[in-house]
Amino acid sequence: MTVLDAFDLDGETAIVTGGNRGIGRAIANALAEAGASVVVANRDAASGEEAAEEISDSTGADAFAVECDVTDEDAVEAMVEATVERFGGVDVLVNNAGIVVHEAIETMSLEEWSAVLTTNLTGAFLCSRAAGREMMENGGGVVLNVSSMSAFIANYPQRQVAYNASKAGLEGFKNQLASEWAEHGIRVNNLAPGYVATDNADQGAQVAENAVETWEGEMLMDEMASPEMLGPTAVYLASDASAYMTGETIVLDGGYTVR
Ligand code: NDP
């Protein structure tokens, strides 16, 4: 076995929530390129199907889309069932679906707070619970949560307290889950990006003056990442290349937090 064989995902099945666009799309594509069959799980059925078709066409991997709101318990259970029916099991779950609300805490509504926590944190719980049961039956697997550097720092100039709380929650979630599921052969790690050029970051850029200039001024790499830059690290965390790693977070932020 060569060192590159450890990154091979041939014969594996990966669910990527929010795999239709942005970071999730790039991760789904990267996992497919490494050989995995991929399930794109998101709310907008049309873009999910389009993404699955394009991933399949460009990589040759088997890919299909399941319409799924990660905050809906029944929809999540049905999505995992559809995956098992089609591919026979689940080896990798990428909890990527996430939203941000840019609002100061003093004017934030309970609905806004709850929407962020429910999507980013409860969604990861529901998907991990459903996929984890399948992994346990099949002798193991990998859970990869897309966290954020925002779990560890304060962002500025935009306001986003619910988001940072949800991402910090994903860190505690990952630690405890890694501990509880090690005996089932399930590894749990987080990938914590810095600023990545997607719709999510665009939202932040629109609410605060000079936001992009401010962010880029803090980075050692001088510009936001493209979603594709996260692909290789996601393959590493999803594959046997990281077989000895669990309960950890890789911060991939272009040198933002080191300053
Ligand atoms: P985008 O806004 O581009 O994409 C968000 C994705 O999440 C979409 O695919 C969307 O699909 C999906 N989604 C949102 N809500 C739900 C839901 N309830 N159920 C299922 N899917 C849902 O964001 P990014 O690609 O930037 O973000 C992806 C992840 O990366 C998020 O967790 C985000 O917090 C994290 N991140 C992003 C950073 C950035 O700078 N961009 C930095 C650090 C972390 P649909 O709308 O069809 O449901």
Side-chain angles (χ1 to χ4, degrees), residues 17-25 41-45 47-48 68-72 95-100 115 118-120 146-150 163 166-167 170 191-203 215 224 227 230:
T17 67
N20 57 318
R21 60 186 158 94
I23 292 172
R25 171 66 182 275
N42 67 292
R43 294 168 301 180
D44 178 49
S47 62
C68 175
D69 183 333
V70 297
T71 69
D72 178 336
N95 285 315
N96 163 79
I99 59 168
V100 61
T118 307
T119 305
N120 298 4
V146 180
S147 173
S148 170
M149 69 173 178
S150 304
Y163 183 83
S166 74
K167 295 300 184 180
L170 271 182
L191 172 56
Y195 287 105
V196 185
T198 66
D199 296 345
N200 176 306
D202 273 355
Q203 253 180 279
W215 303 338
M224 283 195 269
L230 306 179

Side-chain angles (χ1 to χ4, degrees), residues 113-137:
W113 169 269
S114 298
V116 175
L117 270 291
T118 307
T119 305
N120 298 4
L121 195 50
T122 309
F125 154 65
L126 291 174
C127 292
S128 301
R129 188 181 64 177
R133 287 175 182 146
E134 287 301 326
M135 291 176 187
M136 281 175 201
E137 275 189 22

